Amino acid sequence: MAILDPNAERRCRDSFARQQAMTTIGASVLSVAAGEVELAMPFSEKLTQQHGFIHAGIVTMLCDTACGFAALSLMPEDAAVLTTEFKVNLLSPAIGERLIARGKVVRPGRKLMVCLGEVFAEEGGKRKQVALMTASMMVMDTSTGLRD
Amino acid sequence: MAILDPNAERRCRDSFARQQAMTTIGASVLSVAAGEVELAMPFSEKLTQQHGFIHAGIVTMLCDTACGFAALSLMPEDAAVLTTEFKVNLLSPAIGERLIARGKVVRPGRKLMVCLGEVFAEEGGKRKQVALMTASMMVMDTSTGLRD
Amino acid sequence: MAILDPNAERRCRDSFARQQAMTTIGASVLSVAAGEVELAMPFSEKLTQQHGFIHAGIVTMLCDTACGFAALSLMPEDAAVLTTEFKVNLLSPAIGERLIARGKVVRPGRKLMVCLGEVFAEEGGKRKQVALMTASMMVMDTSTGLRD
Amino acid sequence: MAILDPNAERRCRDSFARQQAMTTIGASVLSVAAGEVELAMPFSEKLTQQHGFIHAGIVTMLCDTACGFAALSLMPEDAAVLTTEFKVNLLSPAIGERLIARGKVVRPGRKLMVCLGEVFAEEGGKRKQVALMTASMMVMDTSTGLRD
């Protein structure tokens, strides 16, 4: 994988900070590398579905963001990132002390980047995988008015 | 499609009420029919990503819940519903006064139900589709400890 | 949906004729409209999996092609179409006299077109849906060397 | 991952041999391990789409079969395997001397197994990834009449 552009980590962290949804769910950035980003989120009852697990949509939100920033870390300075599609297989109930989402770029295309995402539930220092994502991230140019 | 079981609407609304995530995003039930459920959610800046659109994870959460309850509306009284996978194509930025998600059962299997979900952004009385989902919902029996 | 460009049907049929894989499976074009294409394929034992059903990959191939040409029918004359991703839910065993695949454009973007595909098995004049697809089709320009 | 059941390799190879679609595309089994199967297929013009690449449906067919047998290798003797859904991201044109598909079980559930599949095009001893799949395989019991 390419070396991390010195500006890429700053761009990802700045863009993350502008995502109010990330603040709402209490998410934070664990690490930013070239084409790979890890985020974390503490368990919260406010984000549960009817059986007491974190809602699949929240699991997806964390993982989509990790994949999006993994893609952004490899994009030129004047590009913005937009998710065009993702698919999530839910492997186990999302329950534990916190969730960790890791997004990796599998195919860094010029127009589309394909990412693989994994979400783990952490409890007592142990991790169990709860979700598997594949996603397409579009490289948007500045003529669209989007910035990252 | 089958006629709505007289208990099904109550079960869906009760299960919806136990989803704290739905309260957190301000979602409400618009309608429950046999194999088809509509939910709504007002726009909120707290749920936006970095470009000011509702986060794709929130769009997904609303649509997954609509699909899950569409499936639950066709399940036997002693079954619970669990999403095993979904895929979402994002068609337009999720921005407007509110989002409407409609979930429909396409194939009501005994073990797995396949659903089609659509999300629309509403603005000034006009609707624009923002997302398209396909999802698999597993029919869980009570031996799992899950209830709906 | 837009009116069909007078050249679009010819382009789709010519491009279809160049797909040797379509000849191999015995597929034919049923109809081409603006943003909607139907293909058919007779049942063949040569295309079955271990239980005697048409292999899911063949079902996918027919549907992907229907979606691709549905997208191509809305593209400018100098563009080519390339599938970037699809997801298929298999609803019933693909068995019968023939398969019919219908692809429709749901969102005709300038760079990406999102399609919905359905495959039916026909037997004694009755149709049963066997698969549901969502797919992304990229609008490729001629600088890539691709032609359609 | 579990140790390979002594009968599992034979079951996978027998079931593969009953897939006429695999004979039609010239596919063969490279290896069977517990939860991981590799298949190969030579390039053939008969399986190409309009630009001369192997059709995405054929790439999918090979990968779906690899994932299905990876799942079957971990199933009890009296179970059969049925794909319920898959999603494929196409990463590069499928062109070269042969294709290699590798399927791995990511989550060996009792009712559903989730698999990750990768397809590579091989040319002059070098491999390039052309597709990424995630798939759900249902564990079918013998009451359905299916055997593997």
Side-chain angles (χ1 to χ4, degrees):
Chain A
M1 195 57 77
I3 294 168
L4 183 64
D5 180 291
N7 292 320
E9 179 160 0
R10 182 189 44 74
R11 287 178 74 202
C12 286
R13 291 186 183 271
D14 286 356
S15 187
F16 183 90
R18 287 194 301 275
Q19 288 212 22
Q20 296 194 40
M22 290 297 109
T23 308
T24 299
I25 65 170
S28 58
V29 177
L30 287 188
S31 65
V32 179
E36 184 168 336
V37 166
E38 278 199 344
L39 305 177
M41 187 197 99
F43 181 85
S44 162
E45 291 207 336
K46 287 185 190 166
L47 304 174
T48 55
Q49 40 81 287
Q50 74 270 29
H51 308 124
F53 312 141
I54 297 288
H55 198 292
I58 300 292
V59 171
T60 297
M61 185 157 72
L62 195 70
C63 199
D64 170 41
T65 305
C67 286
F69 287 129
L72 184 62
S73 76
L74 298 181
M75 290 185 190
E77 183 77 18
D78 60 349
V81 59
L82 208 65
T83 307
T84 65
E85 60 82 25
F86 46 65
K87 187 233 192 175
V88 178
N89 284 82
L90 299 158
L91 308 179
S92 290
I95 194 151
E97 292 154 11
R98 64 172 188 164
L99 297 183
I100 311 284
R102 182 193 301 145
K104 281 189 219 185
V105 177
V106 172
R107 210 275 184 188
R110 205 165 46 87
K111 292 178 182 173
L112 269 185
M113 297 204 179
V114 177
C115 297
L116 186 71
E118 297 166 298
V119 185
F120 303 89
E122 206 176 57
E123 178 82 48
K126 287 182 186 162
R127 288 186 181 188
K128 182 175 189 178
Q129 190 172 354
V130 300
L132 175 66
M133 171 184 277
T134 57
S136 300
M137 299 290 161
M138 189 170 258
V139 184
M140 307 292 289
D141 63 44
T142 51
S143 67
T144 59
L146 298 182
R147 292 283 181 287
D148 266 321
Chain B
M1 194 59 77
I3 294 169
L4 184 65
D5 181 292
N7 292 320
E9 180 160 358
R10 183 190 43 75
R11 286 179 74 203
C12 286
R13 290 187 183 271
D14 286 356
S15 188
F16 183 90
R18 285 194 302 274
Q19 289 211 23
Q20 296 195 40
M22 289 298 107
T23 309
T24 300
I25 64 170
S28 59
V29 177
L30 287 188
S31 66
V32 178
E36 184 167 338
V37 167
E38 277 199 344
L39 306 178
M41 187 196 100
F43 181 85
S44 163
E45 291 207 337
K46 287 186 189 167
L47 304 174
T48 53
Q49 39 81 287
Q50 73 272 28
H51 309 124
F53 313 142
I54 297 288
H55 199 292
I58 300 292
V59 171
T60 297
M61 186 156 73
L62 195 70
C63 199
D64 169 42
T65 304
C67 287
F69 288 129
L72 184 63
S73 76
L74 298 180
M75 289 185 190
E77 183 78 18
D78 61 348
V81 59
L82 208 65
T83 308
T84 65
E85 60 82 25
F86 47 65
K87 187 235 191 174
V88 179
N89 283 83
L90 299 157
L91 308 179
S92 290
I95 194 150
E97 291 154 12
R98 63 171 188 166
L99 297 183
I100 312 283
R102 183 192 302 144
K104 281 189 219 185
V105 177
V106 172
R107 210 274 185 188
R110 207 165 46 86
K111 292 178 181 173
L112 268 186
M113 297 205 180
V114 177
C115 297
L116 187 69
E118 297 167 297
V119 185
F120 303 89
E122 208 176 56
E123 177 82 47
K126 287 184 186 162
R127 288 187 181 187
K128 183 174 188 178
Q129 190 172 353
V130 300
L132 175 65
M133 172 184 278
T134 58
S136 301
M137 299 290 161
M138 189 171 258
V139 184
M140 305 293 289
D141 64 41
T142 52
S143 67
T144 59
L146 298 182
R147 293 283 181 287
D148 265 321
Chain C
M1 193 60 75
I3 294 169
L4 183 64
D5 181 293
N7 292 319
E9 180 160 359
R10 182 189 46 74
R11 287 179 74 202
C12 286
R13 289 187 184 268
D14 287 356
S15 189
F16 183 88
R18 287 195 301 274
Q19 290 212 23
Q20 297 195 39
M22 290 297 107
T23 307
T24 299
I25 65 170
S28 58
V29 178
L30 288 188
S31 65
V32 179
E36 184 167 337
V37 167
E38 277 199 343
L39 305 178
M41 186 196 100
F43 182 84
S44 163
E45 291 207 337
K46 288 186 190 166
L47 304 174
T48 55
Q49 40 81 288
Q50 73 272 29
H51 308 122
F53 313 141
I54 296 288
H55 198 292
I58 300 292
V59 172
T60 297
M61 186 158 70
L62 195 70
C63 200
D64 169 41
T65 304
C67 287
F69 288 128
L72 184 62
S73 76
L74 299 181
M75 290 185 189
E77 183 77 18
D78 61 348
V81 58
L82 208 65
T83 308
T84 65
E85 60 83 23
F86 46 66
K87 187 234 191 172
V88 178
N89 283 83
L90 300 158
L91 307 179
S92 290
I95 195 151
E97 293 154 13
R98 63 173 190 164
L99 298 182
I100 311 285
R102 184 192 301 144
K104 280 189 221 184
V105 177
V106 173
R107 209 274 184 189
R110 207 166 44 88
K111 292 179 184 173
L112 268 185
M113 297 206 179
V114 177
C115 297
L116 187 69
E118 296 166 298
V119 185
F120 303 88
E122 208 176 54
E123 176 83 48
K126 285 181 186 164
R127 288 187 182 188
K128 183 174 188 180
Q129 191 173 352
V130 300
L132 176 66
M133 173 185 275
T134 57
S136 300
M137 299 290 159
M138 190 171 258
V139 184
M140 306 293 288
D141 63 45
T142 52
S143 67
T144 59
L146 298 182
R147 292 284 180 286
D148 266 320
Chain D
M1 195 59 77
I3 294 168
L4 182 65
D5 181 291
N7 292 320
E9 181 162 358
R10 182 188 45 73
R11 288 179 73 202
C12 286
R13 290 186 183 269
D14 287 357
S15 187
F16 183 89
R18 286 194 302 274
Q19 289 210 22
Q20 296 195 40
M22 291 297 108
T23 307
T24 299
I25 64 170
S28 59
V29 178
L30 287 188
S31 65
V32 178
E36 185 168 336
V37 167
E38 277 199 345
L39 305 177
M41 187 195 99
F43 181 85
S44 162
E45 290 206 338
K46 288 186 192 167
L47 305 174
T48 54
Q49 39 81 288
Q50 74 272 28
H51 308 122
F53 313 142
I54 296 288
H55 198 291
I58 300 291
V59 171
T60 297
M61 185 157 72
L62 195 71
C63 199
D64 170 41
T65 304
C67 286
F69 288 128
L72 184 63
S73 76
L74 298 181
M75 289 185 190
E77 183 77 19
D78 61 349
V81 59
L82 208 64
T83 308
T84 65
E85 59 82 25
F86 46 66
K87 186 233 190 173
V88 178
N89 284 83
L90 299 158
L91 308 178
S92 291
I95 195 151
E97 292 154 12
R98 63 173 189 166
L99 297 182
I100 311 284
R102 183 192 300 145
K104 281 188 221 185
V105 177
V106 172
R107 209 274 184 188
R110 206 165 46 86
K111 292 178 183 173
L112 268 186
M113 297 205 180
V114 178
C115 297
L116 187 70
E118 296 166 299
V119 185
F120 303 89
E122 208 176 55
E123 177 82 48
K126 285 182 186 164
R127 289 186 181 188
K128 182 174 188 179
Q129 190 171 353
V130 299
L132 175 66
M133 172 184 277
T134 58
S136 300
M137 299 290 160
M138 189 170 258
V139 184
M140 306 293 288
D141 63 43
T142 52
S143 67
T144 58
L146 298 182
R147 293 282 181 286
D148 268 319

